[in-house]
Amino acid sequence: MGTKIIGTKIIGLNETESTNAYARNIETNKLENGTIIISQFQTSGRGYNKNSWESEAGKNITCSIILLPEKIKAEDQYVISKFVSLAITDYLSIKGIVAKIKWPNDIYIGDKKIAGILIENSVKGEYIDKTIIGIGININQESFKSDAPNPISLKNITKSEYSISHELEELIRFLNHWYNQVVEDKNGMIDKDYKQKMYRIDELSVFSDNTKKFEGYIKGVNKFGQLMIETTEKEKLLFNFKEVAFLI
Ligand code: BTN
């Protein structure tokens, strides 16, 4: 699986506001590449769009990875979301589960969300100098109270109970595997796998772009992470995050 960078240091907490916030607050000179912060409970776990992230104490994986990449250009930053998404879908596949990547940062089983990724990048010049990758994966939680759309957990699907520390170790293996692909610049491999695992790829779907409804097919993402859709009228469209939503 290549060099282990992610998870060489693990900071385990009982409770914190948010593991992303904890990582963000570590002083620059104390940062160690590959550190993972995992907390049993987050008092203010965050999703993207300033949403909250619901996770019962001790039941799920809620962690953040600090990476100090050496050569990811700012314009290529979407590769971070790609490699993490692939690690999570591979991790779920060893549980016998077919998971899909719902652009830009969600992992779905069927039409239900099992995991979310929250990435915070700092850029220095042309390059990403630090990235904090927050990962929430629903593992043992059986019911969800918030109005999050369609949550599901591993236990909901398999009816088994999991050891969170063991599951984290398994996830770390795949994170290192896919991060090594990034470091070794095997982007072709990442792009191919990512496209294959995209939710509703090449399936007729109905979208809304805030002004109108239209029908089309997801064709992949470009190098900037924009979603590529070809409409039924053969028009090729590109969307940034929040510019398009699935209706069906
Ligand atoms: C989303 O789908 O909206 C992203 C969810 C990300 C949740 C994780 S849990 C660990 C880390 N700390 C946070 O506060 N958020 C991320």
Side-chain angles (χ1 to χ4, degrees), residues 22 25 33 41 44 49 58 69 77 95 111 113 118 121 152 164 169 171 179 181 192 204 214 217 237 245:
Y22 186 98
N25 291 332
N33 193 19
F41 184 61
S44 184
N49 255 348
Q77 58 187 271
K95 308 282 158 202
D111 286 319
K113 178 164 167 175
L118 180 66
N121 289 326
I152 196 168
I164 299 302
E169 281 307 322
L171 177 67
Y179 187 53
Q181 306 290 306
K192 188 166 149 271
L204 183 61
F214 61 95
Y217 302 86
L237 305 176

Side-chain angles (χ1 to χ4, degrees), residues 1 61 85-100 107 109 114 137 139 154 157-158 160 162-175 177-178 197:
M1 285 241 169
I61 294 180
S85 300
L86 288 170
I88 299 174
T89 52
D90 273 3
Y91 156 71
L92 290 168
S93 78
I94 58 165
K95 308 282 158 202
I97 292 171
V98 179
K100 296 283 175 187
I107 307 298
I109 313 286
I114 191 162
I137 308 180
I139 305 282
L154 203 48
I157 302 166
T158 65
S160 305
Y162 298 87
S163 145
I164 299 302
S165 55
H166 176 76
E167 298 313 307
L168 178 69
E169 281 307 322
E170 300 219 290
L171 177 67
I172 289 172
R173 275 200 294 130
F174 291 107
L175 286 164
H177 167 74
W178 283 106
K197 298 220 166 101

Side-chain angles (χ1 to χ4, degrees), residues 205-245:
S205 306
V206 183
F207 302 93
S208 153
D209 69 358
N210 301 328
T211 60
K212 60 181 184 313
K213 241 168 99 169
F214 61 95
E215 290 188 332
Y217 302 86
I218 290 184
K219 290 291 168 193
V221 286
N222 68 9
K223 85 169 218 124
F224 303 109
Q226 292 170 305
L227 186 68
M228 304 193 288
I229 297 179
E230 188 174 312
T231 67
T232 41
E233 328 274 60
K234 298 269 171 247
E235 208 184 344
K236 291 186 166 64
L237 305 176
L238 288 176
F239 293 98
N240 292 308
F241 181 40
K242 291 200 271 189
E243 288 178 349
V244 67

Side-chain angles (χ1 to χ4, degrees), residues 7-184:
T8 40
K9 176 172 174 186
I10 297 181
I11 301 175
L13 307 169
N14 285 328
E15 183 176 305
T16 191
E17 176 195 342
S18 146
T19 54
N20 271 38
Y22 186 98
R24 211 184 303 126
N25 291 332
I26 296 177
E27 284 169 50
T28 310
N29 60 358
K30 299 214 170 98
L31 288 170
E32 288 178 59
N33 193 19
T35 301
I36 296 185
I37 295 109
I38 179 155
S39 187
Q40 301 257 358
F41 184 61
Q42 300 183 111
T43 53
S44 184
R46 290 276 150 238
Y48 52 78
N49 255 348
K50 303 206 168 98
N51 290 328
S52 59
W53 181 255
E54 178 184 349
S55 180
E56 254 178 70
K59 299 252 167 152
N60 304 308
I61 294 180
T62 48
C63 69
S64 300
I65 304 161
I66 297 169
L67 276 184
L68 310 171
E70 277 174 19
K71 44 183 192 187
I72 301 179
K73 287 201 164 164
E75 62 182 31
D76 297 331
Q77 58 187 271
Y78 197 69
V79 76
I80 300 167
S81 175
K82 283 184 180 167
F83 97 78
V84 176
S85 300
L86 288 170
I88 299 174
T89 52
D90 273 3
Y91 156 71
L92 290 168
S93 78
I94 58 165
K95 308 282 158 202
I97 292 171
V98 179
K100 296 283 175 187
I101 304 162
K102 185 162 185 259
W103 178 88
N105 287 311
D106 293 343
I107 307 298
Y108 267 57
I109 313 286
D111 286 319
K112 297 193 170 210
K113 178 164 167 175
I114 191 162
I117 304 163
L118 180 66
I119 297 172
E120 298 176 51
N121 289 326
S122 327
V123 174
K124 204 179 211 174
E126 272 184 84
Y127 290 89
I128 303 287
D129 125 274
K130 175 174 90 173
T131 175
I132 296 167
I133 304 162
I135 300 175
I137 308 180
N138 300 328
I139 305 282
N140 290 322
Q141 185 161 339
E142 286 175 278
S143 60
F144 295 84
K145 294 181 205 72
S146 69
D147 52 4
N150 308 325
I152 196 168
S153 70
L154 203 48
K155 186 169 181 183
N156 287 150
I157 302 166
T158 65
K159 313 291 174 222
S160 305
E161 182 83 19
Y162 298 87
S163 145
I164 299 302
S165 55
H166 176 76
E167 298 313 307
L168 178 69
E169 281 307 322
E170 300 219 290
L171 177 67
I172 289 172
R173 275 200 294 130
F174 291 107
L175 286 164
N176 278 298
H177 167 74
W178 283 106
Y179 187 53
N180 273 299
Q181 306 290 306
V182 177
V183 173
E184 291 162 21

